[in-house]
């Protein structure tokens, strides 16, 4: 490991790498997974308590089909009690794919001579955002390669553009970031532009495996990346997202290490990550990855269910890297956010004819190219409520503050009404007739099921205001 905390920031215990790979393996090697133990652990999670590392290791070791099914059912129950039946929708917007690093799995890696390099100009960003707004998008994640051009000032500038574009009733209400780790001052600059979540994925938490995939550039430094979100907290960003790129190392190890990372953030900053992402490696331009660690669909479903039980209050994101059929199935085991209408080639949202797919223009291959409306339509068929809610972040319910509110019932009490209101806006402004018909039926059904008369009355009153032309109403 070449990381030294003094080199980058404060000589602070919290800024030192906190993953001990031996410790993680010891937990896994010594965990028992008898029926009784697994049932006890699922019950603990269903009572909305966080699981400790030993308990998560037991779930990871439960291999019998019967126990795997019980874990999946437990996750399903937990998801519906904590999150209700809403799914938050967003879209990624790739701003630039220049990159100085050489991550062997990524189409943007510096050694990939076939990659078509591009950074969107201000005008191109505006055009992309107008197209996204025309579809009904309200929440974006801006994605960047790691390059001197994509400095904190540039990232902040693009965030400000995103918030400034208004077309018709369209506007972007939350801009998240997936970009390279910054130093504390860099995070302060980006924070001031009004971002939501700052995501940095560790890719693999195994230090030696990490070195074999990250060949050059700053990202080759495992420790600098591992402590990225400590510096973010230090810089005032208390809303952070973590993740693993599954397929680089043993999935059991990675799940436990993710939970270890959650524990670290909770212990040091009294706030866990806002979201966990779990991309699986997909084909990318010129990729030639030899690893024995590719994760099967079955294990992928299983690991998502285990993560759900391990960290009941953390949002979980499943992206269009996965095919539609699998996404539809997996959502029920714990996912709370998905992207919809995703296009990852730079500048492609505003292209008139986007039929031609070119792997050299994107970071990797996506497997779900349904439009935002198709996804909304299918979520409604599955009795889910598509949501574009941005209320918590705009009311300051983030970070430590947000944790206080994450008590049982909170998410259902605030998130379900806000999901309904943002869906109502979508139905009025963007939905074709058949989706609108389905959507209003779903809204009425969900309001009908609410027990609290005050909440019900408040939603109905706000829906009337939306129909009369008001926008952006939330609780
Ligand atoms: N360059 C920044 C970084 O590396 O953190 C920004 C993120 S990168 C553009 C977004 C994420 O895409 C990476 O963190 C990685 O997990 C994921 N990714 C890269 N190559 C991938 C592939 N072939 N298949 C699936 N996901 C991939
Ligand atoms: Fe660059 Fe990020 Fe791709 Fe690595 S994953 S090559 S840092 S864009």
């Amino acid at each position: 490991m070449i990381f030294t905390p003094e080199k980058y920031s404060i000589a602070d215990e919290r800024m030192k790498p906190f993953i001990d790979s031996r410790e993680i393996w010891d937990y896994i090697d010594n965990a028992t997974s008898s029926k009784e133990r697994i049932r006890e652990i699922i019950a603990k999670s269903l009572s909305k308590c966080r699981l400790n590392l030993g308990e998560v290791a037991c779930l990871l070791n439960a291999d019998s089909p019967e126990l795997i099914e019980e874990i999946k059912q437990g996750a399903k129950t937990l998801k519906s009690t904590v999150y209700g039946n809403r799914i938050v929708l967003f879209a990624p917007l790739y701003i630039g794919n220049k990159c100085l690093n050489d991550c062997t799995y990524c189409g943007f890696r510096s050694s990939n001579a076939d990659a078509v390099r591009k950074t969107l100009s201000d005008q191109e960003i505006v055009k992309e955002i107008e197209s996204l707004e025309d579809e009904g998008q309200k929440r974006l994640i801006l994605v960047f390669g790691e390059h001197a051009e994509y400095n904190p000032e540039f990232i902040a500038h693009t965030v400000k553009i995103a918030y400034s574009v208004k077309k018709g009733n369209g506007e972007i209400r939350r801009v998240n970031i997936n970009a390279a780790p910054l130093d504390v001052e860099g995070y302060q600059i980006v924070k001031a532009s009004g971002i939501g979540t700052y995501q940095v994925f560790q890719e693999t938490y195994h230090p030696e495996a990490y070195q074999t995939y990250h060949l050059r550039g700053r990202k080759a430094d495992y420790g600098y990346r591992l402590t990225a979100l400590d510096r973010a907290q230090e810089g005032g960003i208390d809303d952070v997202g973590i993740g693993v790129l599954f397929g680089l190392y043993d999935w059991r190890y990675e799940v436990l290490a993710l939970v270890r990372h959650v524990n670290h953030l909770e212990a040091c900053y009294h706030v866990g990550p806002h979201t966990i992402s779990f991309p699986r490696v997909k084909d990318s331009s010129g990729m030639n990855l030899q690893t024995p660690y590719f994760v099967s669909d079955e294990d992928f479903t299983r690991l998502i269910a285990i993560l759900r039980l391990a960290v009941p209050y953390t949002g979980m994101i499943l992206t269009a890297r996965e095919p539609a059929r699998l996404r539809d199935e997996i959502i029920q085991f714990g996912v709370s956010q998905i992207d919809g209408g995703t296009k990852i080639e730079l500048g492609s949202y505003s292209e008139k004819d986007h039929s031609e797919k070119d792997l050299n223009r994107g970071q990797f291959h996506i497997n779900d190219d349904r439009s935002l409306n198709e996804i909304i339509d299918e979520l409604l068929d599955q009795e889910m409520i598509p949501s574009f809610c941005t209320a918590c972040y705009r009311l300051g319910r983030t970070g430590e503050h947000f944790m206080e509110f994450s008590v049982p019932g909170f998410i259902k009490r605030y998130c379900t009404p806000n999901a309904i209101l943002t869906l109502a806006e979508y139905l009025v402004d963007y939905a074709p007739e058949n989706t609108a018909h389905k959507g209003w039926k779903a809204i009425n059904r969900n309001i009908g099921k609410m027990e609290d008369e005050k909440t019900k009355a408040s939603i109905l009153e706000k829906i009337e205001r939306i129909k009369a032309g008001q926008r952006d109403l939330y609780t």
Side-chain angles (χ1 to χ4, degrees):
M1 248 180 265
I2 51 176
F3 175 77
T4 49
E6 311 74 49
K7 199 163 106 192
Y8 299 109
S9 69
I10 309 156
D12 178 335
E13 278 303 309
R14 296 172 307 173
M15 299 290 161
K16 292 185 179 158
F18 48 84
I19 294 281
D20 175 347
S21 52
R22 197 54 261 159
E23 179 197 45
I24 306 266
W25 273 122
D26 279 349
Y27 274 115
I28 297 173
D29 292 342
N30 297 317
T32 53
S33 55
S34 66
K35 238 185 231 174
E36 297 66 40
R37 184 80 184 110
I38 296 300
R39 287 179 182 159
E40 224 174 77
I41 296 168
I42 297 173
K44 179 176 175 189
S45 176
L46 287 176
S47 67
K48 299 178 195 106
C49 292
R50 278 268 275 101
L51 302 181
N52 61 38
L53 290 176
E55 289 160 342
V56 180
C58 291
L59 296 182
L60 291 166
N61 276 350
D63 274 328
S64 79
E66 185 194 1
L67 288 180
I68 293 173
E69 196 47 41
E70 288 188 30
I71 289 171
K72 282 161 63 177
Q73 287 313 316
K76 200 169 167 178
T77 308
L78 188 70
K79 172 180 152 64
S80 72
T81 50
V82 174
Y83 286 92
N85 55 350
R86 81 204 157 95
I87 288 283
V88 171
L89 292 165
F90 69 96
L93 174 59
Y94 280 73
I95 299 289
N97 68 355
K98 295 186 183 171
C99 196
L100 298 168
N101 295 324
D102 208 3
C103 311
T104 48
Y105 45 78
C106 179
F108 296 166
R109 67 192 179 280
S110 53
S111 62
N112 183 15
D114 292 334
V116 181
R117 304 284 168 185
K118 185 170 171 62
T119 304
L120 298 184
S121 66
D122 290 2
Q123 291 73 16
E124 284 168 328
I125 296 174
V126 170
K127 265 176 68 187
E128 289 288 275
I129 290 176
E130 285 179 344
S131 303
L132 285 156
E133 288 179 357
D134 283 345
E135 297 299 310
Q137 302 279 7
K138 296 280 184 285
R139 304 168 56 107
L140 298 184
I141 179 151
L142 306 187
V143 187
F144 303 79
E146 180 160 359
H147 194 274
E149 268 181 38
Y150 311 146
N151 56 30
E153 289 77 11
F154 177 75
I155 295 175
H157 173 69
T158 60
V159 171
K160 286 181 198 150
I161 297 179
Y163 283 127
S164 72
V165 178
K166 315 265 177 201
K167 185 162 180 221
N169 281 335
E171 61 178 349
I172 300 303
R173 297 178 184 156
R174 179 175 174 120
V175 179
N176 298 331
I177 298 292
N178 187 319
L182 303 175
D183 58 20
V184 174
E185 295 69 32
Y187 284 118
Q188 284 165 341
I189 293 167
V190 174
K191 162 84 181 169
S193 67
I195 63 156
T197 308
Y198 199 105
Q199 281 186 350
V200 176
F201 305 158
Q202 185 61 24
E203 321 297 12
T204 171
Y205 282 95
H206 193 269
E208 283 80 36
Y210 187 94
Q211 271 358 123
T212 65
Y213 298 109
H214 302 101
L215 307 179
R216 257 183 301 277
R218 210 173 198 193
K219 193 164 166 181
D221 188 337
Y222 172 91
Y224 184 68
R225 193 158 179 97
L226 189 65
T227 51
L229 298 174
D230 294 79
R231 294 190 300 280
Q233 294 280 350
E234 213 50 57
I237 298 179
D238 58 8
D239 188 330
V240 300
I242 63 174
V244 153
L245 181 57
F246 280 97
L248 302 184
Y249 190 62
D250 188 290
W251 66 266
R252 289 178 179 80
Y253 173 96
E254 303 287 22
V255 169
L256 205 57
L258 269 171
V259 178
R260 178 71 185 82
H261 198 166
V262 174
N263 292 351
H264 168 79
L265 293 172
E266 281 184 358
C268 295
Y269 309 100
H270 314 293
V271 51
H274 188 68
T275 54
I276 296 183
S277 300
F278 27 85
R280 277 194 297 183
V281 179
K282 300 292 168 188
D283 195 18
S284 67
S285 163
M287 183 173 97
N288 179 24
L289 201 63
Q290 308 291 336
T291 109
Y293 298 116
F294 284 111
V295 178
S296 67
D297 289 356
E298 290 71 30
D299 287 343
F300 192 51
T301 313
R302 211 172 135 192
L303 78 84
I304 290 169
I306 294 172
L307 269 174
R308 176 69 301 147
L309 291 173
V311 286
Y313 295 118
T314 307
M316 298 201 351
I317 302 179
L318 180 66
T319 67
R321 291 173 178 87
E322 301 301 337
R325 174 199 56 77
L326 190 66
R327 291 229 283 178
D328 290 348
E329 188 202 326
I330 287 180
I331 278 174
Q332 51 178 323
F333 299 117
V335 173
S336 52
Q337 291 190 26
I338 61 172
D339 51 342
T342 295
K343 293 177 185 164
I344 65 169
E345 288 104 351
L346 278 111
S348 54
Y349 288 111
S350 52
E351 269 170 19
K352 284 208 169 53
D353 176 18
H354 184 62
S355 49
E356 193 196 321
K357 299 264 181 307
D358 179 356
L359 205 52
N360 291 330
R361 283 183 56 205
Q363 192 192 9
F364 47 78
H365 183 74
I366 62 164
N367 290 292
D368 183 354
D369 57 7
R370 286 175 293 179
S371 69
L372 178 63
N373 191 72
E374 281 170 317
I375 291 200
I376 289 181
D377 222 53
E378 288 173 35
L379 287 173
L380 290 169
D381 287 340
Q382 295 171 56
E383 307 216 338
M384 315 281 280
I385 315 172
S387 171
F388 294 95
C389 179
T390 53
C392 279
Y393 136 80
R394 291 158 79 210
L395 290 172
R397 293 193 297 240
T398 63
E400 189 173 4
H401 210 57
F402 181 72
M403 296 287 278
E404 284 165 29
F405 288 104
S406 292
V407 290
F410 166 83
I411 293 184
K412 239 175 170 173
R413 212 162 59 241
Y414 291 95
C415 302
T416 306
N418 288 332
I420 289 175
L421 294 172
T422 53
L423 174 61
E425 281 190 350
Y426 176 84
L427 300 179
V428 174
D429 286 339
Y430 304 102
E433 210 180 309
N434 59 333
T435 308
H437 180 69
K438 247 190 250 183
W440 287 115
K441 261 174 76 178
I443 287 178
N444 291 332
R445 194 173 54 241
N446 278 280
I447 295 177
K449 279 196 275 186
M450 287 179 171
E451 283 153 16
D452 185 62
E453 291 302 323
K454 250 174 84 185
T455 312
K456 242 186 205 178
S458 152
I459 299 177
L460 288 169
E461 180 262 335
K462 288 192 175 77
I463 287 180
E464 287 314 308
R465 280 159 58 193
I466 289 170
K467 287 182 178 166
Q470 279 193 47
R471 291 291 170 271
D472 203 14
L473 304 175
Y474 49 86
T475 50

